[in-house]
Amino acid sequence: MSVCFFFITFAHRMNKSRKRKRKIRWGRVSLVILTLVLIVTCCIAHPLRQWKRYRTQAALAALTLPSDSVRRHALSVDSIFCAPYVFVPDTDAQGRIQKHRILSVRSYAGAFPDENDVQLTTATQLGLRRFPKTHDEAAAMTHDLVFIGASPLFALRPMKYSAPYLTPRADRLLEAIARAFEDSLLCKGLPAHKLEVSSALRTLDDVKRLQRRNVNAKSRSCHLYGTTFDISYNYYAPVGETCPPDTAVSPYGLQLKQVLAEVLRDMRQKGTCYVKYERKEPCFHITCR
């Protein structure tokens, strides 16, 4: 009887031991599986969240991205003008600036062929929505226009049929052209000169007065939108000298015109502006993009 009780007790203890070992084994297996699941989740969930965030941002960008090509191009131009401007001239071993040759362009008309219709399309998209009637009204539009008469980078010609105001985008372009022109003169060993702006914003009164003088003057001028300005290629203001505006013809006139053509060609190739070479009015007709 005691022997049977011993075997029964022993079998019961062995059964409990096997159950305990089975629980421990399944617990370890579950712990390993849980650890693997956590590792896989950490490796996959973060990229999935990043992908979902990217898709969401892309969808929002698609909703806010302009639908027309003019405004989409304007975004890329903004990135160009927002980049910091750094000018580092080439120097020799003694630290002297190396002079570059004046290359100019093969043909002014061929290099700057952008007609008024092309420039007008961009001006209507990026320019003023309401045209000022008088110069005083233009001066009061401080949220839409910038006064360009006080810039140290360029000078103004006497403006009979326009006012010294431009949109902020056109003002940034004009200053970039003037700065690049000064740097180019330094690299080519020419005396410092300022560009002279001969025309900027035209008010409705300016257009009417111009049409009385010239019957071929267009009523829908790019100058109405504040995105367009004219830079004279015959007149330049020598830095450090005082010359009457009408007699400020520099002896370096041809070379200065060639350097200005190089600058405008580079600006146009970057896509920042449209340029038309005018023969009747000696100027470059420029519209920001």
Side-chain angles (χ1 to χ4, degrees):
M1 191 68 182
S2 58
V3 174
C4 293
F5 179 76
F6 171 77
F7 280 108
I8 293 172
T9 304
F10 178 76
H12 180 67
R13 289 179 178 176
M14 290 295 295
N15 189 28
K16 290 179 67 176
S17 177
R18 283 196 297 267
K19 288 182 178 180
R20 189 182 303 111
K21 290 180 180 179
R22 192 180 299 115
K23 288 181 179 180
I24 293 173
R25 186 167 57 250
W26 279 109
R28 291 176 179 174
V29 172
S30 301
L31 181 61
V32 171
I33 294 174
L34 181 61
T35 303
L36 292 176
V37 170
L38 290 175
I39 293 174
V40 172
T41 302
C42 292
C43 294
I44 297 178
H46 181 67
L48 285 177
R49 285 196 297 269
Q50 292 291 95
W51 182 75
K52 288 181 179 179
R53 187 180 296 112
Y54 170 78
R55 289 294 299 272
T56 303
Q57 292 175 351
L60 291 175
L63 292 175
T64 57
L65 191 66
S67 58
D68 59 281
S69 59
V70 174
R71 293 189 179 276
R72 285 200 301 269
H73 183 83
L75 293 177
S76 63
V77 173
D78 288 340
S79 64
I80 295 176
F81 286 138
C82 288
Y85 179 79
V86 179
F87 171 65
V88 182
D90 297 331
T91 56
D92 56 16
Q94 287 74 31
R96 293 172 298 189
I97 297 178
Q98 293 183 348
K99 295 182 180 180
H100 295 192
R101 292 191 304 117
I102 300 176
L103 302 176
S104 187
V105 295
R106 288 187 177 182
S107 167
Y108 294 113
F112 310 111
D114 302 319
E115 296 292 342
N116 183 73
D117 294 342
V118 175
Q119 300 194 29
L120 187 60
T121 301
T122 297
T124 55
Q125 292 289 329
L126 304 180
L128 297 176
R129 292 291 180 265
R130 180 177 64 85
F131 304 143
K133 185 177 181 181
T134 63
H135 289 195
D136 292 338
E137 186 176 344
M141 298 173 63
T142 55
H143 292 289
D144 300 320
L145 296 173
V146 176
F147 178 68
I148 64 172
S151 175
L153 298 175
F154 51 85
L156 298 182
R157 301 282 302 164
M159 296 183 179
K160 297 180 180 179
Y161 300 101
S162 64
Y165 297 95
L166 289 173
T167 60
R169 174 182 294 275
D171 178 61
R172 288 196 299 269
L173 172 64
L174 177 56
E175 290 190 350
I177 293 173
R179 192 179 292 112
F181 179 71
E182 290 183 357
D183 295 341
S184 297
L185 294 183
L186 179 62
C187 290
K188 298 177 188 301
L190 293 174
H193 286 75
K194 292 182 181 180
L195 298 175
E196 292 201 1
V197 180
S198 58
S199 183
L201 172 73
R202 284 181 188 161
T203 63
L204 296 176
D205 287 349
D206 290 331
V207 173
K208 290 180 180 179
R209 289 190 296 108
L210 185 60
Q211 287 178 331
R212 294 194 198 103
R213 174 178 173 268
N214 183 5
V215 293
N216 294 323
K218 298 179 180 179
S219 58
R220 288 196 66 198
S221 170
C222 295
H223 289 279
L224 279 170
Y225 297 88
T227 58
T228 305
F229 51 89
D230 296 340
I231 296 179
S232 172
Y233 55 70
N234 284 347
Y235 295 95
Y236 303 86
V239 176
E241 300 181 18
T242 56
C243 297
D246 293 333
T247 61
V249 179
S250 172
Y252 302 93
L254 178 58
Q255 295 171 304
L256 297 176
K257 180 181 179 180
Q258 292 172 341
V259 173
L260 176 57
E262 291 181 18
V263 171
L264 293 179
R265 178 201 59 200
D266 294 342
M267 287 288 181
R268 183 178 180 273
Q269 289 177 351
K270 288 180 182 179
T272 60
C273 60
Y274 288 119
V275 186
K276 178 70 170 68
Y277 178 71
E278 299 285 357
R279 298 178 183 274
K280 186 175 181 181
E281 297 292 336
C283 66
F284 290 104
H285 183 72
I286 304 168
T287 296
C288 66
R289 298 184 64 184

